[in-house]
């Protein structure tokens, strides 16, 4: 049974996505509150254990992806704004997250285990309670790193993908596609940053939209749909930096609709971008904080954001009508074939195991 084309499996994926997003946002607010009360060091260990408790119940594949997302959300931008070296650290951590998902979970372990070295070795100009952040991070990082290392060592986590086990070649190819999406976002960041400084933000937004479309056009339909999930979620954060709860809820809603675009029908991408195109015109106090332009978000100019949105909306509309998005019939048949082989392998394993048990019983 399905509702609006959402079957039970897709519904569970949406609920898990929303849950992980709430964990990440809640953790961000939690860190801010802890820092405000000067409790970063005393509560570092309980906070790390709380994060583990929030995700430990997830299935292995879902938990690995959740940890990668949480790592990119919390660990990568920890000291952003403290110098160019922190941008380089962010890039390295995001790359380790991608490698941890597609190649080997040990890369994700490395991100958490090695981050304490970065906490204590790099020079930063921290003030007030934030002076305790490096020490608190060391405690927090090592607790989560130890947990991830233990679960990986026990074989709980394996690289995501089919067929299993995933080869390094397959994993690196998938990582390369994910990195390419990151490069397109970086191009957008550069264009928006430059355009905001020169007073050409609307023109820069148009160039960013065309660059994203051109960069994703050549991908296969399934890979392109997955890439649009990331781009759509990034777009959803446009006004969420204001901290207003309704903007955060809109961000989460757009992210979930983007997931629907991959799980069910690519028309949901069209819905997400069409909605955000109209959302730009909601009367609001525009925040011109420079950090928003540095992150590549267009919330500092609703007109520029609408220009960016209309370009991508038009492309998605044409692409969906032309059948260039979603899972092609060949890809669906391949996925079904892989699933069938896995089921057959499990059945054969059960049969062999049953025969062996029968032989042992008869011999006794």
């Amino acid at each position: 049974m399905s509702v609006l084309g959402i079957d039970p499996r897709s519904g569970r994926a949406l609920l898990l996505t929303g849950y992980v997003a709430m964990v990440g946002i809640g953790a961000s607010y939690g860190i801010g509150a802890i820092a405000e009360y000067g409790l970063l060091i005393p509560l570092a260990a309980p906070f790390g254990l709380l994060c583990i408790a929030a995700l430990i119940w997830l299935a292995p594949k879902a938990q690995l992806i959740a940890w990668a997302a949480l790592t990119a959300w919390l660990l990568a931008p920890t000291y952003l704004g403290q110098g160019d070296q922190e941008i380089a650290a962010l890039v390295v951590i995001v790359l380790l997250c991608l490698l941890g998902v597609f190649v080997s979970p040990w890369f994700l372990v490395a991100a958490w285990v090695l981050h304490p070295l970065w906490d204590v070795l790099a020079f930063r100009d921290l003030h007030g309670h934030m002076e305790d952040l490096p020490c608190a991070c060391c405690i927090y990082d090592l607790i989560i790193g130890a947990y991830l290392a233990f679960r990986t060592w026990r074989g709980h986590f394996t690289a995501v993908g089919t067929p299993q086990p995933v080869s390094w070649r397959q994993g690196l190819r998938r990582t390369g596609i994910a990195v390419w999406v990151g490069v397109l976002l970086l191009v957008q960041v550069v264009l928006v940053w430059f355009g905001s400084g020169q007073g050409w933000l609307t023109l820069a937004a148009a160039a960013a939209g065309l660059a994203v479309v051109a960069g994703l056009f050549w991908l296969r339909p399934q890979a392109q749909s997955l890439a649009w999930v990331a781009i759509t979620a990034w777009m959803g954060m446009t006004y969420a930096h204001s901290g207003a709860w309704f903007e955060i809820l809109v961000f989460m809603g757009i992210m979930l609709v983007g997931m629907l675009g991959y799980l069910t029908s690519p028309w949901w991408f069209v819905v997400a971008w069409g909605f955000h195109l109209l959302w730009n015109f909601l009367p609001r106090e525009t925040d011109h904080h420079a950090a928003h332009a540095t992150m590549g978000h267009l919330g500092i100019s609703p007109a520029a954001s609408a220009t960016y949105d209309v370009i991508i909306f038009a492309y998605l509309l044409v692409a969906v009508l032309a059948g260039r998005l979603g899972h092609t019939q060949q890809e669906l048949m391949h996925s079904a074939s892989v699933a069938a082989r896995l089921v057959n392998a499990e059945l054969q394993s059960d049969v062999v195991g049953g025969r062996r048990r029968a032989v042992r019983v008869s011999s006794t």
Side-chain angles (χ1 to χ4, degrees):
M1 181 179 180
S2 63
V3 180
L4 297 176
I6 307 173
D7 57 32
R9 182 181 178 184
S10 299
R12 287 193 298 271
L14 285 176
L15 289 175
L16 287 176
T17 301
Y19 173 76
V20 173
M22 287 191 293
V23 169
I25 293 172
S28 297
Y29 277 96
I31 292 172
I34 291 171
E36 184 177 350
Y37 287 99
L39 298 172
L40 278 172
I41 294 178
L43 294 183
F47 188 79
L49 294 173
L50 186 62
C51 289
I52 292 172
L55 300 182
I56 194 172
W57 61 274
L58 298 178
K61 177 182 175 181
Q63 188 178 162
L64 178 64
I65 296 174
W67 275 115
L70 203 64
T71 303
W73 180 267
L74 294 179
L75 200 65
T78 301
Y79 302 107
L80 203 60
Q82 290 292 318
D84 294 340
Q85 74 277 5
E86 301 299 341
I87 298 176
L90 181 147
V91 172
V92 170
I93 291 174
V94 171
L95 181 59
L96 288 173
C97 291
L98 295 174
L99 290 170
V101 171
F102 295 117
V103 178
S104 170
W106 285 110
F107 285 103
L108 191 59
V109 174
W112 287 93
V113 172
L114 297 178
H115 194 258
L117 295 176
W118 188 251
D119 289 324
V120 299
L121 294 179
F123 173 77
R124 303 177 185 91
D125 187 19
L126 300 173
H127 301 284
H129 297 311
M130 297 307 290
E131 292 179 352
D132 296 333
L133 186 60
C135 183
C137 274
C138 286
I139 302 170
Y140 166 75
D141 295 349
L142 290 175
I143 288 174
I144 293 180
Y147 166 76
L148 293 175
F150 176 75
R151 298 306 293 271
T152 301
W153 173 63
R154 293 296 300 269
H156 187 75
F157 297 135
T158 57
V160 173
T162 55
Q164 287 286 342
V166 177
S167 69
W168 274 68
R169 181 178 180 181
Q170 292 170 324
L172 289 174
R173 184 177 68 83
R174 291 163 182 159
T175 302
I177 294 174
V179 168
W180 175 245
V181 176
V183 169
L184 294 177
L185 290 175
L186 181 61
V187 169
Q188 177 177 325
V189 168
V190 172
L191 287 171
V192 171
W193 173 80
F194 181 78
S196 63
Q198 299 296 321
W200 303 340
L201 190 55
T202 302
L203 183 61
L210 292 172
V212 169
V213 167
L216 297 184
F217 178 80
W218 60 275
L219 294 178
R220 292 179 179 180
Q222 184 177 5
Q224 187 178 163
S225 292
L226 194 54
W228 278 115
V229 173
I231 301 294
T232 302
W234 184 269
M235 171 270 289
M237 288 192 288
T238 300
Y239 299 107
H241 291 290
S242 67
W245 276 103
F246 71 93
E247 297 286 10
I248 295 174
L249 291 175
V250 167
F251 156 57
M252 292 187 63
I254 288 176
M255 179 177 60
L256 293 177
V257 172
M259 281 291 294
L260 277 176
Y262 177 74
L263 294 170
T264 59
S265 168
W267 280 107
W268 288 108
F269 292 126
V270 179
V271 171
W273 287 85
F275 168 81
H276 197 262
L277 174 60
L278 298 177
W279 188 251
N280 289 303
F281 298 102
L282 180 74
R284 59 171 60 84
E285 184 178 348
T286 305
D287 192 341
H288 292 276
H289 197 286
H292 296 179
T294 304
M295 289 296 292
H297 295 302
L298 292 159
I300 57 177
S301 171
S305 181
T307 301
Y308 175 78
D309 289 353
V310 75
I311 290 172
I312 293 182
F313 172 79
Y315 167 75
L316 289 171
L317 183 61
V318 173
V320 173
L321 290 173
R324 285 195 54 84
L325 282 180
H327 302 271
T328 65
Q329 189 66 25
Q330 182 179 3
E331 289 169 335
L332 289 173
M333 291 177 64
H334 174 71
S335 298
S337 175
V338 170
R341 288 200 299 270
L342 290 174
V343 170
N344 287 334
E346 291 179 1
L347 290 174
Q348 290 174 4
S349 176
D350 291 341
V351 170
V352 172
R355 288 174 179 172
R356 287 175 178 171
R357 286 193 296 271
V359 169
R360 286 196 297 269
V361 170
S362 62
S363 64
T364 58

